[in-house]
Amino acid sequence: MPSIARLPDNIANKISAGEVVQRPASVVKELLENAIDSGADRISVVIRDAGKELVRIIDNGRGMNREDALLSVERFATSKLRDVADLDTLGTLGFRGEALASISSVSHFELRTREADAPVALKFRYEGGIPAEESEVQGEPGTTVSVRNLFYNVPARRKFLKSNATEYGHIFELVRSFSLAYPEIGWQLVNDEDELFNFRTPDLLERLDTFYGKGFAESLVEVGEENDYLSIRGYIGRPALQKRKRLDQYFFINRRPVQNRMLTQALQQAYGELLVERQAPFALLFLGIDPSRVDVNVHPAKLEVRFDDERSVRNMFYPVIKRAIRTYDFSPDLSAAAPQATPGSAPAEGSSSFGGGYRTLSFQEVPERAITKTELYGNYREGALGATPSAPSGPSRQETMFPVPDVPAAREDISQLLRSSMHEGPDEAEAGPKGEDPKIWQLHNKYLVCQIKTGLMIIDQHVAHERVLYERAVEVMESSVPNSQQLLFPQKVEFKPWEFEVFDEIREDLYRLGFNLRPFGSRAVMIEGVPQDVRPGSEVTILQDMIAEYRDNAQRLRLEKRDNLAKSYSCRNAIMTGQKLSVGEMRTLIDNLFATREPYSCPHGRPVIIKMSLAQLDHMFGRS
């Protein structure tokens, strides 16, 4: 007698269910894909006990006749493939023909379906994959699938399901992603008799505001690019306002929800230092590509995809996101309550939209486009009245904490505008001839308030100085330009054992940064020189604080060594809250800030600048 035997279908289906049906959310995903493929424009999801007791999907799609309904629960039976070549031209979400067979084998399964021209609906009931009932019943056109007591006959699998809150969270995230991917479909979600949402209009704005709070959509930036190889459409979040988790990143390949590490990393890298550490930007992005260039048959869950040329996709995806980010001023607005668009209303004249009912989201409700870095700085400096004084020589380290760096020829206009007016108060700052100097005040020794042409801007003095120091430190370490200023009286530092280990690791880069350190005993060094930005008298404290910050960053974050050192140095050496600045120091700090590559955020991602326009002020005071 042979030792190898063909497994019965019910056992094979249970084994297959281990890959296809991992939790209640897996059931919801497979059934929703079938509902969408059926052409439904209305889908309801009903769950009880986080899907453990009941998952019911109701759609108004094409429905099935008796023969198709019986085959749909058979393993490897599908209407979406006929031969292997069809895998290269898939236009449907489902295609494997395993889902219903796997689901029915581990639950009490009921299928009701009716074609539009059929007089009655057909009902099929299965228990553990075994047919239990077939009958005719009354029902609306479409299909309803009810899955009860999931894993009732696989107690080990049911035992390892997570808490109801966790399982419900997976289901909610899944239904939310589908409702955003298919706005032309009306979606309803009911959890334990409580209706969570019921979208009846194809308005993406309404859905985003429902999920993320009123006005959320206004903070998004539209992305759009298309060529013969790849199309990209969708929205990304403004980093100064949106600090969200990775679950709030949606990638769709040919409208299929997918997970792809390359896309996630490219998105993160495009934002760069605009993000707070360990945070991720919001993204709702649709990529269109020839189906033959992407493999969706990687895993039974159909979430993972592989591109035939991943490098080319990244090389097109990354610049599009980077360009969209750089197009907008990411300094937050202190916005008044903006009028809300009516869900379902038509786009404003001149706005654009793309398929499936997407409406272009207004970036600002006030009649003002985003102010660029150049314009914002120009507005601040507009009061110079064309004066062209010679650029002052950089003050010594003892004279000011803000040494003025050499300015490239391309930015000669900034150099010419650097003036060392050392007035000590706001009254004196305004005392000069009209238009002679920009208006600037220090608020609570913490924030700098500046008048600009379009309103005002508020700058956090600590993070502004941190941004300046960070970029200067990176540039110095990469260029190996001498940056050390010798101390008249060297300072001795005694390290703790862990401090000396960190010091030994970064010793070479400390030297590149400008720290001239000489060993003095087993765990001590003499500070003989420091970077020119270090304040006199703080040499020892700065070095010890930098080492502590460096170790903390290394434990919490995965930063490249020099980047970590530059961030640690800038954080510990920047001016602190509560430190009073002269008018000249404030102006020099602002000039240095706008000479950086990223003036809108500090190296850790916190916003540096907040601006308020006159239109917003007028709105607050009822003038608009």
Side-chain angles (χ1 to χ4, degrees):
M1 183 176 181
S3 59
I4 298 177
R6 186 182 299 276
L7 289 175
D9 287 344
N10 62 329
I11 297 178
N13 287 338
K14 283 186 180 180
I15 294 173
S16 177
E19 292 184 327
V20 178
V21 187
Q22 300 174 352
R23 61 194 337 147
S26 306
V27 174
V28 175
K29 177 180 182 296
E30 298 294 343
L31 298 181
L32 288 182
E33 289 180 348
N34 285 341
I36 293 170
D37 288 341
S38 74
D41 61 13
R42 181 72 186 165
I43 299 176
S44 296
V45 181
V46 180
I47 59 174
R48 291 181 193 157
D49 195 25
K52 300 171 187 176
E53 178 185 339
L54 172 67
V55 170
R56 177 175 293 148
I57 308 297
I58 307 167
D59 71 64
N60 64 348
R62 288 185 294 271
M64 294 179 283
N65 58 34
R66 180 179 181 276
E67 183 179 0
D68 285 342
L70 289 171
L71 281 172
S72 69
V73 190
E74 295 291 329
R75 194 166 179 230
F76 301 131
T78 178
S79 63
K80 298 154 189 177
L81 289 177
R82 287 294 180 265
D83 57 52
V84 69
D86 291 340
L87 283 172
D88 292 333
T89 57
L90 278 175
T92 58
L93 297 175
F95 60 90
R96 297 176 65 93
E98 290 184 280
L100 295 189
S102 298
I103 294 169
S104 66
S105 69
V106 292
S107 67
H108 294 132
F109 182 88
E110 180 181 294
L111 171 66
R112 294 191 184 203
T113 185
R114 176 189 161 193
E115 293 181 307
D117 57 355
V120 294
L122 303 174
K123 173 183 174 182
F124 303 89
R125 190 166 58 83
Y126 295 78
E127 295 185 1
I130 300 173
E133 178 186 351
E134 177 183 342
S135 61
E136 293 183 348
V137 295
Q138 294 297 317
E140 296 294 324
T143 300
T144 299
V145 178
S146 301
V147 179
R148 300 178 184 274
N149 305 320
L150 185 63
F151 299 132
Y152 82 97
N153 55 352
V154 191
R157 177 59 64 88
R158 190 175 180 92
K159 176 183 177 181
F160 285 100
L161 291 177
K162 303 300 182 181
S163 67
N164 277 11
T166 299
E167 298 298 343
Y168 162 74
H170 286 291
I171 294 173
F172 182 85
E173 294 287 346
L174 182 71
V175 179
R176 176 166 64 180
S177 68
F178 274 113
S179 70
L180 293 174
Y182 293 88
E184 72 274 20
I185 297 177
W187 293 86
Q188 179 189 36
L189 176 60
V190 179
N191 176 42
D192 291 333
E193 312 301 331
D194 181 22
E195 183 179 84
L196 302 180
F197 57 79
N198 189 352
F199 299 124
R200 300 180 182 276
T201 62
D203 191 343
L204 185 60
L205 177 63
E206 174 194 359
R207 300 185 184 194
L208 287 169
D209 285 348
T210 297
F211 291 136
Y212 295 104
K214 186 177 180 180
F216 172 82
E218 298 169 14
S219 69
L220 300 181
V221 177
E222 186 174 2
V223 177
E225 190 85 11
E226 185 171 359
N227 56 37
D228 293 338
Y229 184 84
L230 184 72
S231 66
I232 303 173
R233 294 286 186 273
Y235 301 96
I236 55 177
R238 298 172 66 186
L241 301 179
Q242 312 305 330
K243 299 176 175 61
R244 318 199 66 83
K245 54 187 182 298
R246 291 196 189 280
L247 285 176
D248 295 327
Q249 292 182 353
Y250 303 96
F251 297 100
F252 302 95
I253 306 295
N254 298 335
R255 303 192 81 183
R256 177 189 299 278
V258 300
Q259 297 171 353
N260 185 270
R261 186 176 180 183
M262 178 274 292
L263 294 176
T264 301
Q265 290 178 341
L267 177 70
Q268 196 82 6
Q269 291 168 3
Y271 277 80
E273 295 164 4
L274 292 171
L275 294 174
V276 175
E277 292 163 351
R278 307 187 104 181
Q279 297 286 354
F282 174 87
L284 176 64
L285 296 169
F286 297 80
L287 280 71
I289 190 171
D290 187 336
S292 64
R293 293 184 175 274
V294 58
D295 183 7
V296 299
N297 190 27
V298 177
H299 187 273
K302 303 190 294 291
L303 281 174
E304 300 177 28
V305 297
R306 291 176 183 163
F307 299 100
D308 68 342
D309 188 353
E310 191 168 89
R311 182 186 297 273
S312 294
V313 174
R314 188 194 186 283
N315 288 343
M316 295 179 190
F317 177 82
Y318 175 83
V320 171
I321 303 301
K322 189 82 171 177
R323 187 160 54 251
I325 294 169
R326 295 294 179 253
T327 300
Y328 292 89
D329 164 24
F330 281 127
S331 58
D333 288 323
L334 293 177
S335 301
Q340 296 298 308
T342 304
S345 60
E349 184 178 354
S351 66
S352 62
S353 62
F354 60 92
Y358 286 89
R359 179 148 56 84
T360 297
L361 306 182
S362 174
F363 185 71
Q364 290 183 332
E365 289 292 345
V366 294
E368 173 190 15
R369 63 183 177 85
I371 301 177
T372 66
K373 165 182 168 180
T374 304
E375 289 172 320
L376 193 60
Y377 182 82
N379 288 339
Y380 160 69
R381 275 297 185 186
E382 191 183 37
L385 292 179
T388 56
S390 58
S393 59
S396 69
R397 179 166 163 262
Q398 284 72 23
E399 291 173 346
T400 177
M401 65 190 70
F402 303 121
V404 181
D406 292 336
V407 182
R411 299 191 62 87
E412 188 175 350
D413 57 326
I414 295 178
S415 179
Q416 291 176 343
L417 289 170
L418 293 177
R419 285 166 296 186
S420 300
S421 172
M422 300 301 290
H423 305 305
E424 292 298 333
D427 293 338
E428 296 180 40
E430 296 186 70
K434 182 178 180 181
E436 181 65 23
D437 287 307
K439 306 291 192 302
I440 179 171
W441 303 268
Q442 188 179 28
L443 181 65
H444 296 292
N445 294 337
K446 188 175 184 179
Y447 300 107
L448 309 184
V449 181
C450 313
Q451 176 179 312
I452 60 177
K453 177 182 177 182
T454 56
L456 62 87
M457 66 177 176
I458 305 172
I459 298 174
D460 185 322
Q461 66 185 33
H462 171 73
V463 294
H465 195 209
E466 195 174 340
R467 163 54 64 183
V468 172
L469 293 179
Y470 169 77
E471 293 201 8
R472 194 175 298 166
V474 170
E475 182 179 355
V476 165
M477 285 190 287
E478 290 179 351
S479 63
S480 299
V481 174
N483 187 47
S484 182
Q485 179 165 310
Q486 295 303 110
L487 298 180
L488 185 60
F489 300 103
Q491 303 289 321
K492 180 182 177 181
V493 182
E494 291 277 357
F495 287 132
K496 298 175 184 177
W498 69 265
E499 289 177 323
F500 190 79
E501 288 181 9
V502 176
F503 162 74
D504 201 44
E505 177 186 346
I506 61 177
R507 184 197 305 253
E508 183 177 339
D509 287 316
L510 281 171
Y511 177 77
R512 289 177 177 271
L513 185 58
F515 284 91
N516 189 354
L517 307 170
R518 175 170 55 86
F520 192 82
S522 59
R523 290 201 307 268
V525 297
M526 295 295 292
I527 305 177
E528 297 182 338
V530 294
Q532 297 179 19
D533 296 312
V534 174
R535 299 184 300 277
S538 66
E539 297 86 359
V540 173
T541 303
I542 290 295
L543 182 60
Q544 291 177 322
D545 288 349
M546 280 176 57
I547 289 175
E549 180 82 5
Y550 182 94
R551 185 183 74 157
D552 185 48
N553 287 344
Q555 290 175 344
R556 294 184 300 108
L557 309 166
R558 294 183 178 180
L559 299 176
E560 189 269 331
K561 187 166 69 171
R562 287 189 180 176
D563 185 49
N564 188 353
L565 181 59
K567 288 181 177 178
S568 303
Y569 167 74
S570 62
C571 179
R572 295 302 182 173
N573 195 37
I575 60 173
M576 304 306 294
T577 295
Q579 186 169 344
K580 183 174 178 60
L581 305 180
S582 69
V583 173
E585 288 173 333
M586 287 188 280
R587 291 193 181 117
T588 303
L589 175 59
I590 295 172
D591 291 329
N592 288 344
L593 173 65
F594 279 98
T596 63
R597 296 187 305 273
E598 301 287 351
Y600 298 119
S601 65
C602 81
H604 302 89
R606 288 171 53 193
V608 174
I609 302 169
I610 291 176
K611 68 178 186 295
M612 176 177 282
S613 69
L614 286 173
Q616 291 167 336
L617 284 168
D618 289 342
H619 185 82
M620 288 180 174
F621 284 99
R623 289 179 175 269
S624 55

